[in-house]
Amino acid sequence: MAARYEQIAAELRDEILTGVHPVGSQLPSEAELAARYSAARGTVRQAVAILAAEGLIGSRQGARRIVLGGERSQSFAELHSFAQWARSKGHVVGGEVLAQRRRGAGPAESVRLGTAEVLEVLRLRTLEGEPVLLERTVYAAWIAPAVEELPRDCESVTQALYDKVGLVFAYGEHLIDAVAASSEDARLLGVRRGSPLLRQRRITTTQEGRPVEWSDDRYRAGSVAFSIRNSIGANPLARLAL
Protein backbone atom coordinates (compact mmCIF):
# COMPACT_ATOMS: atom_id res chain seq x y z
CA MET A 1 0.00 0.00 0.00
CA ALA A 2 1.28 3.45 -0.92
CA ALA A 3 2.47 5.76 1.84
CA ARG A 4 0.06 8.48 2.96
CA TYR A 5 2.06 11.28 1.30
CA GLU A 6 2.10 9.31 -1.98
CA GLN A 7 -1.70 8.95 -1.81
CA ILE A 8 -2.09 12.69 -1.26
CA ALA A 9 0.31 13.45 -4.12
CA ALA A 10 -1.62 11.09 -6.43
CA GLU A 11 -4.95 12.77 -5.67
CA LEU A 12 -3.54 16.27 -6.14
CA ARG A 13 -1.82 15.17 -9.36
CA ASP A 14 -5.13 13.91 -10.76
CA GLU A 15 -6.80 17.20 -9.83
CA ILE A 16 -4.11 19.20 -11.60
CA LEU A 17 -4.20 17.07 -14.75
CA THR A 18 -8.00 17.18 -14.92
CA GLY A 19 -8.18 20.93 -14.44
CA VAL A 20 -9.56 21.08 -10.91
CA HIS A 21 -6.54 23.27 -10.17
CA PRO A 22 -6.04 25.22 -13.45
CA VAL A 23 -2.64 26.26 -14.75
CA GLY A 24 -1.61 29.53 -13.08
CA SER A 25 -3.82 29.03 -10.03
CA GLN A 26 -2.54 28.65 -6.48
CA LEU A 27 -2.49 25.27 -4.82
CA PRO A 28 -4.13 25.28 -1.37
CA SER A 29 -1.67 26.04 1.42
CA GLU A 30 0.01 23.27 3.40
CA ALA A 31 -2.23 24.10 6.36
CA GLU A 32 -5.36 23.82 4.20
CA LEU A 33 -4.19 20.55 2.67
CA ALA A 34 -3.31 19.15 6.09
CA ALA A 35 -6.84 19.93 7.30
CA ARG A 36 -8.41 18.51 4.16
CA TYR A 37 -6.56 15.20 4.40
CA SER A 38 -6.39 15.06 8.21
CA ALA A 39 -2.65 14.68 7.82
CA ALA A 40 0.42 16.14 9.47
CA ARG A 41 2.05 19.16 7.84
CA GLY A 42 5.19 17.09 7.25
CA THR A 43 3.20 14.49 5.32
CA VAL A 44 1.62 17.17 3.15
CA ARG A 45 5.01 18.77 2.59
CA GLN A 46 6.34 15.45 1.25
CA ALA A 47 3.39 15.17 -1.13
CA VAL A 48 3.88 18.72 -2.37
CA ALA A 49 7.61 18.08 -2.89
CA ILE A 50 6.75 15.19 -5.23
CA LEU A 51 4.57 17.43 -7.37
CA ALA A 52 7.25 20.12 -7.45
CA ALA A 53 9.86 17.58 -8.57
CA GLU A 54 7.51 16.49 -11.37
CA GLY A 55 7.16 20.08 -12.54
CA LEU A 56 3.43 20.23 -11.86
CA ILE A 57 3.75 23.08 -9.37
CA GLY A 58 6.27 25.80 -8.64
CA SER A 59 9.16 24.81 -6.42
CA ARG A 60 9.60 28.06 -4.47
CA GLN A 61 9.31 27.82 -0.71
CA GLY A 62 7.18 30.12 1.43
CA ALA A 63 4.35 31.43 -0.75
CA ARG A 64 1.61 29.19 -2.06
CA ARG A 65 2.70 26.96 -4.91
CA ILE A 66 1.61 27.97 -8.41
CA VAL A 67 0.16 25.24 -10.66
CA LEU A 68 2.35 24.93 -13.75
CA GLY A 69 0.30 22.30 -15.60
CA GLY A 70 0.71 18.75 -16.81
CA GLU A 71 3.84 16.96 -17.95
CA ARG A 72 5.96 19.29 -20.09
CA SER A 73 7.80 17.33 -22.74
CA GLN A 74 9.87 18.96 -25.48
CA SER A 75 10.54 16.88 -28.57
CA PHE A 76 13.63 17.08 -30.78
CA ALA A 77 11.67 15.94 -33.83
CA GLU A 78 11.61 19.59 -34.95
CA LEU A 79 13.94 22.48 -34.18
CA HIS A 80 11.96 24.95 -32.07
CA SER A 81 13.08 27.48 -29.50
CA PHE A 82 12.03 27.16 -25.87
CA ALA A 83 9.51 29.99 -26.28
CA GLN A 84 8.02 28.55 -29.48
CA TRP A 85 7.61 25.15 -27.83
CA ALA A 86 6.11 26.64 -24.65
CA ARG A 87 3.57 28.72 -26.59
CA SER A 88 2.55 25.70 -28.67
CA LYS A 89 1.72 23.88 -25.43
CA GLY A 90 -0.39 26.75 -24.11
CA HIS A 91 2.09 27.91 -21.47
CA VAL A 92 2.68 31.53 -20.47
CA VAL A 93 6.35 32.08 -21.27
CA GLY A 94 8.61 34.98 -20.37
CA GLY A 95 12.19 36.01 -20.99
CA GLU A 96 14.55 38.68 -19.70
CA VAL A 97 18.11 39.54 -20.62
CA LEU A 98 20.08 39.86 -17.39
CA ALA A 99 23.48 40.65 -18.93
CA GLN A 100 24.82 41.28 -22.42
CA ARG A 101 28.25 42.24 -23.74
CA ARG A 102 30.56 42.05 -26.73
CA ARG A 103 33.90 40.37 -26.15
CA GLY A 104 36.65 38.45 -27.88
CA ALA A 105 35.89 34.81 -28.66
CA GLY A 106 37.66 32.13 -26.65
CA PRO A 107 39.56 29.39 -28.51
CA ALA A 108 36.65 26.91 -28.43
CA GLU A 109 34.13 29.59 -29.39
CA SER A 110 36.29 30.72 -32.27
CA VAL A 111 36.35 27.18 -33.63
CA ARG A 112 32.62 26.58 -33.13
CA LEU A 113 31.41 29.93 -34.46
CA GLY A 114 34.21 30.86 -36.85
CA THR A 115 34.50 34.39 -35.48
CA ALA A 116 36.98 36.44 -33.45
CA GLU A 117 34.30 38.44 -31.63
CA VAL A 118 31.08 37.25 -29.99
CA LEU A 119 28.03 38.62 -28.20
CA GLU A 120 27.54 36.96 -24.81
CA VAL A 121 23.99 37.00 -23.42
CA LEU A 122 22.63 35.73 -20.10
CA ARG A 123 18.87 35.25 -20.32
CA LEU A 124 16.35 34.00 -17.75
CA ARG A 125 13.27 32.13 -19.01
CA THR A 126 10.03 31.63 -17.09
CA LEU A 127 6.92 29.45 -17.38
CA GLU A 128 3.75 30.69 -15.70
CA GLY A 129 5.93 33.29 -13.97
CA GLU A 130 8.27 30.68 -12.45
CA PRO A 131 12.01 30.74 -13.36
CA VAL A 132 12.83 27.48 -15.14
CA LEU A 133 15.73 28.08 -17.51
CA LEU A 134 19.00 30.00 -17.68
CA GLU A 135 20.42 30.53 -21.17
CA ARG A 136 24.07 31.46 -21.52
CA THR A 137 24.30 32.09 -25.24
CA VAL A 138 27.22 33.23 -27.36
CA TYR A 139 26.29 34.64 -30.77
CA ALA A 140 28.56 34.92 -33.80
CA ALA A 141 29.63 38.48 -34.65
CA TRP A 142 27.66 38.60 -37.91
CA ILE A 143 24.28 38.22 -36.14
CA ALA A 144 25.21 40.15 -32.97
CA PRO A 145 23.86 43.58 -34.12
CA ALA A 146 20.40 42.11 -34.80
CA VAL A 147 20.35 40.39 -31.39
CA GLU A 148 21.42 43.60 -29.61
CA GLU A 149 18.47 45.48 -31.13
CA LEU A 150 15.90 43.05 -29.69
CA PRO A 151 13.93 44.08 -26.57
CA ARG A 152 15.48 42.75 -23.38
CA ASP A 153 12.19 41.00 -22.60
CA CYS A 154 11.92 39.45 -26.08
CA GLU A 155 9.80 36.32 -25.75
CA SER A 156 11.30 34.34 -28.64
CA VAL A 157 14.68 35.32 -30.09
CA THR A 158 14.30 32.68 -32.80
CA GLN A 159 11.00 34.14 -34.02
CA ALA A 160 12.18 37.73 -33.64
CA LEU A 161 15.31 37.16 -35.74
CA TYR A 162 13.23 35.48 -38.42
CA ASP A 163 10.83 38.41 -38.49
CA LYS A 164 13.63 40.99 -38.41
CA VAL A 165 16.32 39.64 -40.75
CA GLY A 166 14.84 36.42 -42.14
CA LEU A 167 17.21 34.20 -40.16
CA VAL A 168 16.18 30.54 -40.04
CA PHE A 169 17.74 28.29 -37.38
CA ALA A 170 17.97 25.19 -39.57
CA TYR A 171 20.24 22.71 -37.78
CA GLY A 172 21.03 22.04 -34.14
CA GLU A 173 23.43 19.72 -32.36
CA HIS A 174 22.59 19.03 -28.71
CA LEU A 175 24.53 17.63 -25.77
CA ILE A 176 22.49 16.81 -22.66
CA ASP A 177 23.82 16.07 -19.20
CA ALA A 178 23.31 17.00 -15.54
CA VAL A 179 25.28 19.58 -13.57
CA ALA A 180 25.21 21.01 -10.06
CA ALA A 181 23.80 24.52 -9.72
CA SER A 182 26.44 27.21 -9.29
CA SER A 183 25.88 30.11 -6.91
CA GLU A 184 24.58 32.22 -9.79
CA ASP A 185 22.37 29.39 -11.09
CA ALA A 186 20.91 28.88 -7.63
CA ARG A 187 20.18 32.57 -7.07
CA LEU A 188 18.48 33.09 -10.42
CA LEU A 189 16.51 29.84 -10.56
CA GLY A 190 15.47 29.88 -6.91
CA VAL A 191 17.13 26.58 -5.95
CA ARG A 192 19.87 25.60 -3.54
CA ARG A 193 23.50 25.74 -4.60
CA GLY A 194 24.56 22.29 -5.76
CA SER A 195 21.03 21.27 -6.76
CA PRO A 196 20.88 19.11 -9.92
CA LEU A 197 20.11 20.95 -13.15
CA LEU A 198 19.44 19.52 -16.59
CA ARG A 199 21.96 21.05 -18.99
CA GLN A 200 21.50 21.27 -22.73
CA ARG A 201 24.46 22.54 -24.72
CA ARG A 202 23.70 23.29 -28.35
CA ILE A 203 25.18 24.80 -31.45
CA THR A 204 22.79 26.09 -34.10
CA THR A 205 23.49 26.86 -37.75
CA THR A 206 21.71 28.26 -40.80
CA GLN A 207 20.52 26.21 -43.77
CA GLU A 208 23.92 26.85 -45.35
CA GLY A 209 25.74 25.59 -42.29
CA ARG A 210 26.82 29.00 -41.03
CA PRO A 211 27.16 28.95 -37.20
CA VAL A 212 24.77 31.29 -35.38
CA GLU A 213 25.03 30.53 -31.67
CA TRP A 214 26.54 28.30 -29.02
CA SER A 215 24.49 28.02 -25.83
CA ASP A 216 24.65 26.46 -22.38
CA ASP A 217 21.04 26.10 -21.20
CA ARG A 218 20.31 25.00 -17.63
CA TYR A 219 16.83 23.83 -16.62
CA ARG A 220 15.59 23.69 -13.05
CA ALA A 221 14.93 20.10 -12.00
CA GLY A 222 11.33 19.06 -12.65
CA SER A 223 10.60 21.90 -15.07
CA VAL A 224 10.70 20.05 -18.42
CA ALA A 225 11.46 16.65 -19.91
CA PHE A 226 12.99 15.97 -23.33
CA SER A 227 11.37 13.46 -25.68
CA ILE A 228 13.46 11.59 -28.25
CA ARG A 229 11.91 8.91 -30.46
CA ASN A 230 14.15 6.51 -32.32
CA SER A 231 13.89 3.21 -34.16
CA ILE A 232 16.06 0.54 -35.69
CA GLY A 233 16.13 2.54 -38.91
CA ALA A 234 16.49 6.05 -37.53
CA ASN A 235 18.44 6.75 -34.37
CA PRO A 236 19.24 10.43 -33.71
CA LEU A 237 20.30 9.75 -30.12
CA ALA A 238 23.93 8.97 -29.26
CA ARG A 239 25.63 8.25 -25.94
CA LEU A 240 28.89 9.95 -25.13
CA ALA A 241 31.30 8.99 -22.36
CA LEU A 242 32.09 11.94 -20.13
Side-chain angles (χ1 to χ4, degrees):
M1 183 176 179
R4 181 61 174 147
Y5 71 89
E6 292 175 327
Q7 294 173 351
I8 295 172
E11 186 170 329
L12 290 173
R13 184 185 301 111
D14 288 343
E15 291 180 351
I16 291 172
L17 296 179
T18 56
V20 175
H21 302 296
V23 173
S25 67
Q26 291 185 332
L27 199 68
S29 68
E30 289 182 0
E32 291 169 337
L33 291 173
R36 170 182 169 182
Y37 291 105
S38 299
R41 288 279 291 269
T43 300
V44 168
R45 194 169 294 119
Q46 286 179 289
V48 169
I50 291 176
L51 301 180
E54 293 175 354
L56 295 176
I57 61 175
S59 63
R60 284 183 172 176
Q61 303 294 330
R64 293 192 182 202
R65 308 297 184 106
I66 301 297
V67 176
L68 299 179
E71 179 183 15
R72 296 192 291 239
S73 176
Q74 181 175 356
S75 173
F76 284 107
E78 297 179 353
L79 186 59
H80 290 307
S81 72
F82 174 79
Q84 289 172 326
W85 161 79
R87 282 204 311 265
S88 73
K89 298 297 183 181
H91 296 298
V92 178
V93 61
E96 180 185 359
V97 171
L98 304 180
Q100 180 173 289
R101 66 181 179 119
R102 293 271 193 123
R103 62 170 174 77
E109 294 165 342
S110 180
V111 171
R112 291 189 185 106
L113 299 175
T115 181
E117 184 183 70
V118 296
L119 173 66
E120 180 183 65
V121 179
L122 174 64
R123 186 180 290 108
L124 177 66
R125 296 289 189 181
T126 62
L127 283 180
E128 321 302 340
E130 287 283 324
V132 297
L133 167 62
L134 272 180
E135 297 175 339
R136 292 181 173 90
T137 308
V138 178
Y139 294 93
W142 66 272
I143 195 62
V147 176
E148 288 174 319
E149 291 179 1
L150 298 179
R152 296 182 75 86
D153 61 350
C154 178
E155 186 177 286
S156 173
V157 174
T158 301
Q159 186 64 49
L161 290 177
Y162 175 75
D163 294 338
K164 187 177 181 64
V165 297
L167 175 65
V168 176
F169 290 78
Y171 300 103
E173 182 176 338
H174 308 264
L175 294 173
I176 301 173
D177 60 2
V179 295
S182 67
S183 297
E184 183 177 53
D185 296 337
R187 176 174 56 84
L188 296 175
L189 290 174
V191 299
R192 292 182 178 178
R193 185 175 181 276
S195 297
L197 302 177
L198 178 65
R199 178 172 66 172
Q200 176 195 9
R201 287 172 290 174
R202 56 185 167 81
I203 187 165
T204 314
T205 65
T206 66
Q207 185 78 33
E208 299 75 29
R210 191 179 191 184
V212 180
E213 62 175 4
W214 164 257
S215 192
D216 179 314
D217 300 343
R218 302 188 180 194
Y219 293 84
R220 198 188 67 206
S223 59
V224 300
F226 288 113
S227 169
I228 302 174
R229 291 184 175 89
N230 55 3
S231 68
I232 193 171
N235 188 357
L237 179 63
R239 285 191 186 89
L240 299 177
L242 300 178

